[in-house]
Amino acid sequence: MFSHLHVHSYFSLGEGASSPEALVEAASRRGFTTLACTDTNAVYGAVEFQQTAEAAGVRPILGAHLVANGEETVALATDDHGWAALCRAITTIHWAGARGAVPLHQILAQDRDGLLLLSRDVPFLERVLQQSGPDNLYAELRPGRERHEVLAAARRLRIPPVVTNAVMFAHPEDWSRHRLLRAIALNTTLSALEAGKGESFPRDSWLRPSADVMRHFPDCPDALDRAGELADRCRYRIPFGRIVPPRLAAHENAMEQLRTIAYEGANRRYGQIAPITHDRLEHELAIIGMKGFADYFLVVRDIVQNGPTHCGRGSVANSVVSYCLGITHVEPLSAGLLFERFLNPERKDPPDIDLDFPWDERDHVLAYVFNRYPHPRAAMVANHNTFRLRGALREVAKVHGRPPGEIREVTRRIPWYSEDQPLSELLATHPNYKDLDLPRSWQELAKLAMPLVGTPRILSLHPGGVVIVPTALTDYVPTQPGVKELADFPDVIVPVIQFEKDGTEDAGLVKIDLLGNRSLAVIRDGITAVYTNTGRQLDYTSSDAGEDPATREVFRTGQTMGVFYTESPASRLLCIKSRSETFDLLVLNTSIIRPASNRFIRTYLERLHGAPYEPLDPCLRDTLSETFGVMVYQEDVVNVSAAFAGMPLSTGDGLRKALSKKRPTKHLGAYAEEFFVGAAALGRDMEVAKRVWEMVMSFAGYSFCKGHSCSYIQVAQQSAYLRANYPAEFYAAVLANGGGFYHPFAYVAEAWRNGITILPPDINASEFRTTGRGREIRIGLQFIKGLSADGVERITTGKGEKQDGKDRTATTGRQEKDGKERLGGRDGNDYRSLSDLRARTGLSA
């Protein structure tokens, strides 16, 4: 039976018009039992396509349409050797072939084991035939006049022909969307798009039924049959369920090395290892060894050693081994964190390790990783920017020739948070368009734009995901140069794999998140300033800050502007109402304010301040005792499901993933049924069960695991300690790093309200970054409007020359006038108030 072997999804960016789901659904409905996905120079959608096809009972065929240097072919993987060869070929095309360095036939001539090559490019066929012979080489016949030329060449070269349809969209009516995408990609108008010159594919490039394809090839039935034969040979699948962890040391010594380092760290962290700590270490090491993750921990430790200021957050904070290795800084035993939330014998996917670094050090850490593990061993994870409402309507209007000013006026009025509302309805009913007299054609443009929403447009980078493998990433996935440039490292090209986050995890590649955090930079700079000014060395990993009375007062009174993760108006109000100052209550506060549980804040506050309460069911008394009978942490979903409905912990964890939309093994409805069946079997009251399930369902919103909250409160306590004890250094660090939750001037005003003298920018006294000492803050040159980097360099150079020449200009920053101190500087400016300072510097920008 004929099978489609050349099919493009919308991951052929700017060409394909249909999602993998739409293509698979169309194939199933038209009676196809196999289907290929061959996007152009990419396998971006391979994982999604394979999962969708297998779920629909359609056997997936994985491959790609390779195009480089004027040559093209369809390459299909028959086995794991073929998949690796395909990944290497795509990688070479992106890194070198597209720039003309390596012709396509040379890329494939010596590395095509396990690949079937189908091409209508006769010169390409001749070159490959000459260099590596006819094995697995086929002439591609498509409908149209040129098929006769290709068939004649196939007979001359004695290469077997095979029929394809070069599918670009699932249904015939999708051709108009394909043309829109082509016009957008080529930055031209539809009227200028010439289908006959290759800018777009013909109308019949849809997933046609077998009979419809066969009628175009009455003279070569063998080429039709051959499509089915080749489809039967393509049996490769991306092996879901495997895990490919990174590797640092020799594999056979990794576990021994991890054990040694963990116990060295335990001696350093604890001083004396108590029996409970020893038992927990042994328990964790046993599971880590059984799961084969020793190298994973060693690689992460290697990274954090080269990023000394960091915060390991998320469930990794539940691990004593991570604490001893210096990956995290919260002691898990005293915080009541269970290792099984991070890693347990039943867990199939690799555990997440998320690392925060100061925002201005993250690029240095990435540069270290890519030098330590050169390409193709390490790369960042991909992400796809998709068309949203504004972009879709803007681009459709452009290709239809609407004037730029008119397009801007219409699209700027689209609300940011309206993705679920049809564009035509927005234009007709939203108040933003009340006074805008739109031509009728805009309603038609809106209808054309709406199907583009959600279609991938360009490849971008995951915010922080990095993948490292022991051998080469190109054994598993292609890579290509990323668009990110690393500050201070212009020569380091950031590679990116062709899988997004979910595909990366499904393919068994272990993702490590390396993220930037502005508050860690504030703590780093504040500690440095304290040492410079006083000689006192503070330790940002210490838990002593939480015991400081002044620090407790900051939280208890809600004076937390500038303090990490507790400075929003809602967080400050919760601090005041709860009067929380201890680590445990602050952890609870920062979790309950998340959307998943914030509807229960009033209940929590009443019970916190002594209101008596009874749990919804007696079995939940111990389970939720820590949180006053309210579900707060992600772990509560697992624990409540087990205690109330008798669900296994692994099933409860699946429910947690379903609620957080992390692609669980079952749909939420299946978990709901299991929950209520289990509750009934244990004799629970069904009305109570509904209320418990309502609490569980609230976790469909954003929520934290307890380890994440613990890690962030540890950072918050360090921030609050600096604010309480070294306010000038603290506020200066906040300003030097661009502020936090609020505009930078808000922190200037807050510092002034707390008795800090604000010294304005001074060309001789100011550094580029804002500085603080004692009870004074000197605003840095960073806030001078219009001052360029070149200007800063010239000022710095001039100051150095003056100092070398013993310049005797007065250095007094403050001026006395009429007996009143003013905010003045030697630059001749006399700032009479903070409002004057704000108006005349970049602090008002």
Side-chain angles (χ1 to χ4, degrees), residues 3-27:
S3 293
H4 282 286
L5 300 179
H6 185 172
V7 181
H8 294 257
S9 75
Y10 61 22
F11 287 105
S12 288
L13 306 180
E15 291 183 332
S18 301
S19 66
E21 291 87 348
L23 291 165
V24 169
E25 181 185 2

Side-chain angles (χ1 to χ4, degrees), residues 525-647:
D525 293 346
I527 288 176
T528 300
V530 169
Y531 180 74
T532 301
N533 297 339
T534 69
R536 184 181 178 193
Q537 182 66 61
L538 303 177
D539 180 6
Y540 84 100
T541 69
S542 171
S543 61
D544 295 342
E547 303 302 321
D548 175 59
T551 301
R552 289 184 169 228
E553 178 72 10
V554 166
F555 288 114
R556 187 170 60 251
T557 58
Q559 301 297 310
T560 54
M561 276 191 64
V563 176
F564 176 64
Y565 233 72
T566 60
E567 62 169 330
S568 71
S571 293
R572 287 187 288 140
L573 184 61
L574 181 58
C575 283
I576 294 170
K577 287 187 173 183
S578 66
R579 301 193 292 276
S580 298
E581 60 179 24
T582 64
F583 181 82
D584 290 341
L585 285 179
L586 290 171
V587 168
L588 202 160
N589 276 6
T590 199
S591 292
I592 202 169
I593 204 170
R594 301 305 120 204
S597 51
N598 61 14
R599 70 186 70 178
F600 303 111
I601 285 181
R602 180 171 297 178
T603 301
Y604 154 66
L605 288 173
E606 291 172 354
R607 294 174 180 180
L608 172 67
H609 295 309
Y613 73 94
E614 288 294 327
L616 288 175
D617 188 278
C619 73
L620 300 179
R621 183 178 299 279
D622 292 337
T623 304
L624 298 177
S625 60
E626 179 185 5
T627 55
F628 303 92
V630 176
M631 290 177 61
V632 174
Y633 306 118
Q634 290 178 354
E635 291 90 337
D636 292 337
V637 172
V638 182
N639 296 332
V640 167
S641 299
F644 186 81
M647 297 170 68

Side-chain angles (χ1 to χ4, degrees), residues 583-721:
F583 181 82
D584 290 341
L585 285 179
L586 290 171
V587 168
L588 202 160
N589 276 6
T590 199
S591 292
I592 202 169
I593 204 170
R594 301 305 120 204
S597 51
N598 61 14
R599 70 186 70 178
F600 303 111
I601 285 181
R602 180 171 297 178
T603 301
Y604 154 66
L605 288 173
E606 291 172 354
R607 294 174 180 180
L608 172 67
H609 295 309
Y613 73 94
E614 288 294 327
L616 288 175
D617 188 278
C619 73
L620 300 179
R621 183 178 299 279
D622 292 337
T623 304
L624 298 177
S625 60
E626 179 185 5
T627 55
F628 303 92
V630 176
M631 290 177 61
V632 174
Y633 306 118
Q634 290 178 354
E635 291 90 337
D636 292 337
V637 172
V638 182
N639 296 332
V640 167
S641 299
F644 186 81
M647 297 170 68
L649 293 178
S650 58
T651 305
D653 197 50
L655 171 58
R656 175 189 64 81
K657 291 182 178 180
L659 290 166
S660 57
K661 301 177 178 63
K662 294 199 174 180
R663 302 172 306 113
T665 55
K666 293 187 291 189
H667 292 294
L668 188 57
Y671 286 111
E673 181 180 356
E674 188 168 347
F675 178 89
F676 284 104
V677 169
L682 293 175
R684 310 300 185 200
D685 183 280
M686 284 298 100
E687 289 302 316
V688 172
K690 290 178 182 178
R691 294 176 63 189
V692 174
W693 181 251
E694 180 184 346
M695 276 208 300
V696 170
M697 285 298 295
S698 71
F699 279 76
Y702 184 52
S703 62
F704 284 171
C705 67
K706 187 180 178 183
H708 184 91
S709 295
C710 288
S711 297
Y712 270 8
I713 285 301
Q714 194 263 350
V715 175
Q717 286 182 327
Q718 299 298 328
S719 299
Y721 181 85

Side-chain angles (χ1 to χ4, degrees), residues 191-470:
S191 59
L193 193 68
E194 301 179 39
K197 294 186 178 180
E199 282 85 356
S200 66
F201 277 67
R203 288 179 179 270
D204 58 2
S205 300
W206 58 286
L207 197 75
R208 294 192 287 181
S210 297
D212 199 11
V213 176
M214 290 170 66
R215 67 184 179 85
H216 288 275
F217 299 93
D219 54 339
C220 43
D222 59 325
L224 286 161
D225 293 339
R226 190 167 289 112
E229 295 169 5
L230 296 186
D232 194 54
R233 292 177 57 190
C234 297
R235 297 282 176 173
Y236 176 75
R237 301 284 184 284
I238 297 171
F240 299 153
R242 73 178 173 190
I243 295 179
V244 186
R247 182 176 301 171
L248 177 65
H251 188 64
E252 59 273 11
N253 297 326
M255 195 62 222
E256 180 181 340
Q257 185 178 356
L258 178 64
R259 177 182 294 277
T260 299
I261 296 174
Y263 273 97
E264 289 174 353
N267 285 317
R268 183 177 63 256
R269 289 281 203 184
Y270 292 101
Q272 183 176 359
I273 303 176
I276 189 174
T277 306
H278 177 273
D279 292 345
R280 176 68 172 261
L281 268 174
E282 287 299 321
H283 172 70
E284 292 190 14
L285 288 169
I287 295 177
I288 292 169
M290 178 183 69
K291 303 293 286 187
F293 287 133
D295 279 302
Y296 184 19
F297 279 82
L298 292 174
V299 167
V300 174
R301 174 181 177 269
D302 176 60
I303 293 172
V304 300
Q305 283 187 314
N306 288 275
T309 303
H310 65 274
C311 168
R313 59 181 175 87
S315 61
V316 68
N318 293 38
S319 168
V320 171
V321 170
S322 296
Y323 177 67
C324 293
L325 265 57
I327 296 171
T328 60
H329 305 307
V330 173
E331 201 288 298
L333 292 172
S334 59
L337 300 177
L338 298 179
F339 180 67
E340 283 69 18
R341 171 61 179 85
F342 173 62
L343 184 62
N344 60 74
E346 295 182 357
R347 181 165 181 162
K348 304 300 182 185
D349 55 328
D352 290 332
I353 295 183
D354 297 339
L355 300 170
D356 282 350
F357 298 91
W359 68 276
D360 53 356
E361 291 183 19
R362 177 174 175 265
D363 281 1
H364 291 250
V365 175
L366 288 173
Y368 169 78
V369 169
F370 295 131
N371 283 316
R372 180 75 170 82
Y373 308 95
H375 181 262
R377 281 196 65 191
M380 293 199 72
V381 175
N383 189 35
H384 279 97
N385 290 345
T386 62
F387 285 98
R388 309 311 300 165
L389 290 182
R390 286 191 178 195
L393 185 59
R394 180 189 303 114
E395 295 302 327
V396 169
K398 280 173 60 178
V399 301
H400 279 85
R402 304 305 302 179
E406 182 182 317
I407 295 173
R408 185 166 52 252
E409 187 63 27
V410 173
T411 56
R412 75 178 182 86
R413 297 169 185 253
I414 297 176
W416 287 110
Y417 302 103
S418 56
E419 296 297 331
D420 295 332
Q421 192 171 1
L423 273 169
S424 57
E425 183 179 320
L426 274 174
L427 298 185
T429 63
H430 198 278
N432 288 358
Y433 296 94
K434 179 180 178 181
D435 301 323
L436 191 63
D437 186 17
L438 285 177
R440 282 188 175 183
S441 58
W442 276 97
Q443 280 293 328
E444 184 60 31
L445 294 176
K447 292 176 182 178
L448 291 172
M450 201 63 201
L452 293 183
V453 175
T455 298
R457 185 175 184 187
I458 59 172
L459 184 75
S460 64
L461 295 178
H462 184 275
V466 172
V467 174
I468 305 170
V469 296

Side-chain angles (χ1 to χ4, degrees), residues 9-288:
S9 75
Y10 61 22
F11 287 105
S12 288
L13 306 180
E15 291 183 332
S18 301
S19 66
E21 291 87 348
L23 291 165
V24 169
E25 181 185 2
S28 178
R29 195 165 57 210
R30 290 163 195 157
F32 291 104
T33 58
T34 60
L35 183 69
C37 183
T38 56
D39 289 314
T40 302
N41 293 337
V43 294
Y44 302 134
V47 172
E48 182 180 335
F49 169 73
Q50 178 176 314
Q51 291 173 328
T52 304
E54 290 179 336
V58 175
R59 185 163 58 80
I61 298 171
L62 302 180
H65 178 221
L66 306 181
V67 181
N69 305 300
E71 299 180 320
E72 67 167 333
T73 187
V74 172
L76 305 175
T78 62
D79 54 27
D80 54 349
H81 297 291
W83 176 257
L86 179 67
C87 293
R88 288 189 290 269
I90 295 173
T91 300
T92 303
I93 288 170
H94 281 284
W95 286 89
R99 297 192 293 270
V102 185
L104 182 60
H105 71 275
Q106 288 187 12
I107 295 173
L108 293 169
Q110 305 303 322
D111 187 15
R112 63 184 181 96
D113 288 346
L115 283 179
L116 307 181
L117 302 183
L118 290 61
S119 181
R120 62 171 181 163
D121 183 346
V122 175
F124 170 81
L125 291 171
E126 292 173 338
R127 293 165 187 150
V128 173
L129 182 65
Q130 182 179 6
Q131 293 195 6
S132 57
D135 291 347
N136 295 328
L137 188 63
Y138 301 89
E140 181 187 10
L141 304 183
R142 302 182 193 175
R145 295 179 181 178
E146 70 171 13
R147 74 178 181 85
H148 300 291
E149 300 173 9
V150 177
L151 184 59
R155 289 168 177 166
R156 173 173 56 84
L157 297 173
R158 296 182 179 180
I159 296 175
V162 60
V163 170
T164 76
N165 193 49
V167 174
M168 280 290 168
F169 34 90
H171 310 291
E173 60 270 21
D174 296 335
W175 182 65
S176 59
R177 188 161 74 250
H178 162 69
R179 293 188 73 240
L180 279 175
L181 290 167
R182 294 303 299 135
I184 293 169
L186 295 169
N187 196 26
T188 187
T189 61
L190 282 172
S191 59
L193 193 68
E194 301 179 39
K197 294 186 178 180
E199 282 85 356
S200 66
F201 277 67
R203 288 179 179 270
D204 58 2
S205 300
W206 58 286
L207 197 75
R208 294 192 287 181
S210 297
D212 199 11
V213 176
M214 290 170 66
R215 67 184 179 85
H216 288 275
F217 299 93
D219 54 339
C220 43
D222 59 325
L224 286 161
D225 293 339
R226 190 167 289 112
E229 295 169 5
L230 296 186
D232 194 54
R233 292 177 57 190
C234 297
R235 297 282 176 173
Y236 176 75
R237 301 284 184 284
I238 297 171
F240 299 153
R242 73 178 173 190
I243 295 179
V244 186
R247 182 176 301 171
L248 177 65
H251 188 64
E252 59 273 11
N253 297 326
M255 195 62 222
E256 180 181 340
Q257 185 178 356
L258 178 64
R259 177 182 294 277
T260 299
I261 296 174
Y263 273 97
E264 289 174 353
N267 285 317
R268 183 177 63 256
R269 289 281 203 184
Y270 292 101
Q272 183 176 359
I273 303 176
I276 189 174
T277 306
H278 177 273
D279 292 345
R280 176 68 172 261
L281 268 174
E282 287 299 321
H283 172 70
E284 292 190 14
L285 288 169
I287 295 177
I288 292 169

